[in-house]
């Protein structure tokens, strides 16, 4: 049997260490599917129910493993469906390779069925983007695509016309007139050095050593540098603030952390940003600059792997281009250690109060069920090396504040794109990558309903992923965002009947439990976590529980009041919930 060009593609993927491709077949990629069939012992194909989910899976796989994630879609509409998941990879800077089909070269430009020039469509999302027009380009362009994704921490895209896929591997049907041969490359990527320049590190140390009220802000670029971050925090006596994608950088019970930042963050973190005289940013491009110190008020040191992102959000006095782990290791010997630091002690006391306030909201006796309580049950029962994936919305607030990073726990969500629906696809991909670990998708009813067919994928793939749905029968985050602008909510609550997602889980052949009473939450989640297979717990939570910011500003309170005055529906229920939350904090 003659080797076809698609085999050159699949063989090279395997040589790069790719063992999984997430996708959906179509007549635009039959040649590639044949290549996968012929090499199914080396590269497994995970059949999904929607191409968007395939792209999310590739992105989630890359986030959790650091290795390139690969997704596959057919020509035209299949490739179009990949885009949302690919933008998630682009904006969160993870390596993903998208492979798509294209119409045969002889009919391109004729308006043939499903003729969408995906290379043009993907021009913005992809760092490397090429249509294969000659079998001789393979496998070298695979090498270039994957190297580019690793080097630039983003998306690469290869699209292969149908006739190229099934052509003889390595065939070069054209006469060569240029003074060059088809490239011969190797599946090798050399990581660029991450060690900073010595003069830059000394400059950073000088500024940090002079700080009286230092603060450290860490992001996902420091996820591999936990020990170094904690050592620098100890040396400086500096509290550590974490962006949400960087939540797992240090444990949540560490005496050095003040938790998150931004609307989903903590009051101590906000006050620290106001008080700090030196801010040390490590591995973060935190976009919400209103939560950072005012320009000119605070000196800023930044360790950033990508030169173009240094100083992108706030004026940086000392920008240092380096890997977070290597940069901190080089910095540590130059720092002057501080003992008995009153600055750190102050924020430790504030965090003790914050944690007590959060514990008070995890009340099992509330009716309707408090979303904080449901999340706290997951937190209490999950393994110390569990992976939690999350969708965007109010659920991100509950996870940020009530999912405790301890041991080897991890946490993933769509950080910058903040798209709905990645939680379940992420979990499926991460369960493939880590079959021995507990993987839990904590999602909202809005996001889950978008890609709920992928629960069937989990059942069919025999993956023991666990899904906990925070079901408020609404698009909760948008509801509160409308009110914070001073507008009464509109168009954000779904009509009755509410969905019973547990019934869907059981119909798929998995475990499913529908929970409407607080007393049933813990037994159901415990049963789901113990179930030998995919399991789903659909929890009806209080739809009128607002995800309040850590520190409410005057303008936010004023806008909230204006929404009430302008005719906010459900205002009595919302006011009652707010009042009860306040009482619980005072009583704790």
């Amino acid at each position: 049997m003659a080797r076809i060009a698609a085999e050159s593609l699949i063989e090279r993927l395997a040589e790069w260490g790719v063992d999984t491709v997430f996708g959906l077949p179509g007549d635009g990629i039959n040649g590639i599917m044949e290549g996968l069939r012929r090499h199914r012992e080396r590269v497994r194909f995970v059949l999904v129910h929607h191409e968007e989910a395939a792209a999310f899976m590739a992105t989630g796989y890359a986030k959790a493993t650091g290795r390139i994630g690969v997704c596959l879609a057919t020509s035209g509409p299949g490739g179009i469906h990949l885009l949302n998941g690919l933008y998630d990879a682009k904006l969160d800077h993870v390596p993903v390779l998208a492979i798509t089909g294209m119409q045969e070269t002889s009919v391109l430009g004729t308006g043939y069925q499903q003729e969408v020039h995906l290379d043009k469509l993907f021009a913005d999302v992809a760092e490397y983007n090429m249509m294969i027009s000659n079998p001789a380009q393979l496998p070298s362009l695979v090498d270039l695509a994957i190297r580019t994704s690793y080097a630039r921490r983003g998306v690469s895209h290869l699209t292969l016309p149908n006739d190229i896929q099934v052509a003889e591997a390595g065939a070069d049907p054209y006469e060569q007139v240029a003074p060059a041969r088809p490239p011969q490359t190797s599946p090798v990527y050399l990581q660029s050095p991450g060690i900073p320049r010595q003069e830059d590190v000394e400059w950073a140390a000088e500024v940090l050593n002079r700080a009286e009220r230092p603060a450290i802000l860490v992001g996902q670029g420091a996820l591999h540098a936990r020990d170094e971050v904690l050592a620098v925090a100890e040396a400086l006596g500096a509290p550590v603030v974490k962006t949400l994608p960087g939540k797992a950088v240090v444990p949540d019970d560490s005496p050095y952390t003040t938790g998150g930042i931004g609307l989903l963050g903590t009051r101590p973190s906000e006050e620290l940003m106001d008080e700090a005289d030196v801010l040390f940013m490590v591995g973060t491009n935190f976009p919400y600059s209103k939560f950072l110190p005012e320009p000119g008020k605070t000196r800023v040191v930044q360790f950033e792997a990508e030169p173009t992102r240094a100083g992108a959000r706030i004026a940086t006095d000392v920008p240092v281009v380096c890997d977070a782990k290597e940069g901190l290791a080089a910095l540590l010997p130059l720092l002057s250690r501080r003992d008995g630091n009153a600055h750190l002690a102050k924020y430790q006391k504030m965090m003790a109060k914050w944690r007590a306030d959060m514990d008070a909201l995890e009340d099992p006796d509330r009716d309707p069920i408090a979303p904080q309580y449901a999340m706290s049950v997951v937190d209490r029962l999950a393994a110390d090396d569990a992976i939690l994936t999350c969708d965007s919305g109010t659920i991100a607030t509950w996870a940020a504040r009530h999912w405790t990073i301890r041991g080897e726990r991890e946490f993933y969500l769509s950080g910058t794109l903040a798209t709905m629906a990645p939680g379940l696809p992420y979990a499926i991909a991460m369960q493939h990558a880590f079959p021995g670990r507990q993987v839990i998708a904590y999602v909202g009813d809005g996001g889950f309903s978008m890609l709920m067919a992928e629960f069937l994928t989990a059942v069919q793939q025999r993956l023991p992923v666990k899904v906990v749905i925070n079901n408020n029968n609404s698009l909760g985050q948008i509801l509160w965002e409308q009110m914070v602008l001073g507008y009464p909510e509109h168009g954000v609550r779904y009509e009755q009947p509410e969905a019973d997602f547990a019934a869907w889980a059981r119909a798929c052949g998995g475990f499913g439990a529908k929970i409407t009473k607080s007393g049933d939450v813990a037994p159901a989640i415990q049963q789901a976590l113990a179930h030998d297979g995919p399991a789903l717990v659909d929890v009806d939570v209080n739809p009128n529980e607002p995800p309040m910011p850590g520190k409410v500003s005057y303008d936010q309170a004023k806008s909230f009041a204006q929404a009430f005055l302008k005719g906010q529906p459900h205002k009595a229920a919302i006011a009652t919930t707010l009042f009860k939350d306040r009482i619980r904090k005072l009583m704790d």
Side-chain angles (χ1 to χ4, degrees), residues 380-443:
R380 174 165 51 86
L381 296 177
D384 283 350
D385 67 344
I387 299 172
L388 186 79
T389 66
C390 188
D391 273 356
S392 300
T394 56
I395 41 172
T397 300
W398 314 136
R401 295 174 178 173
H402 302 275
W403 171 252
T404 305
I405 296 298
R406 61 174 183 264
E408 299 303 314
R409 282 186 173 183
E410 298 179 48
F411 175 74
Y412 297 98
L413 82 170
S414 175
T416 307
L417 185 62
T419 178
M420 295 173 69
L424 176 57
Y426 278 9
I428 289 172
M430 293 174 194
Q431 194 73 81
H432 270 295
F434 303 107
R437 292 180 67 177
Q438 191 179 74
V439 183
I440 306 166
Y442 177 60
V443 298

Side-chain angles (χ1 to χ4, degrees), residues 2-26:
R3 284 180 70 248
I4 59 175
E7 288 186 83
S8 295
L9 167 68
I10 303 304
E11 289 168 357
R12 188 62 105 198
L13 291 179
E15 289 169 359
W16 274 99
V18 173
D19 59 11
T20 306
V21 173
F22 304 97
L24 197 65

Side-chain angles (χ1 to χ4, degrees), residues 22-25 45-54 57 454 457:
F22 304 97
L24 197 65
F45 177 71
V46 176
L47 176 60
V48 305
H49 286 84
H50 197 292
E51 292 92 351
E52 182 182 8
M57 290 178 194
E454 302 310 326
T457 301

Side-chain angles (χ1 to χ4, degrees), residues 367-370 373-374 377 467-472 498-503 506 511-528 536-542:
D367 183 28
I369 299 168
Y373 172 65
V377 172
V467 181
V468 178
I469 300 178
N470 184 86
N471 192 340
N472 54 22
E498 294 184 10
D500 182 356
F501 296 112
R506 293 192 297 271
F511 171 90
K514 179 70 169 179
I515 304 302
T516 59
K517 297 182 183 301
S518 287
D520 297 330
V521 173
I525 291 177
Q526 192 163 33
Q527 189 176 357
L536 182 151
V537 180
D538 182 9
V539 184
D540 286 353
V541 300
N542 185 357

Side-chain angles (χ1 to χ4, degrees), residues 1 12 16 31 68 100 103 156-157 173 180 229 296 363 371-372 430 437-438 447 488 492 500 503 583 587:
M1 184 166 32
R12 188 62 105 198
W16 274 99
I68 193 156
T100 62
Q103 280 65 31
S156 287
H157 171 231
V229 168
D363 187 346
Q372 299 96 322
M430 293 174 194
R437 292 180 67 177
Q438 191 179 74
V492 290
D500 182 356
I583 292 298
M587 291 175 63

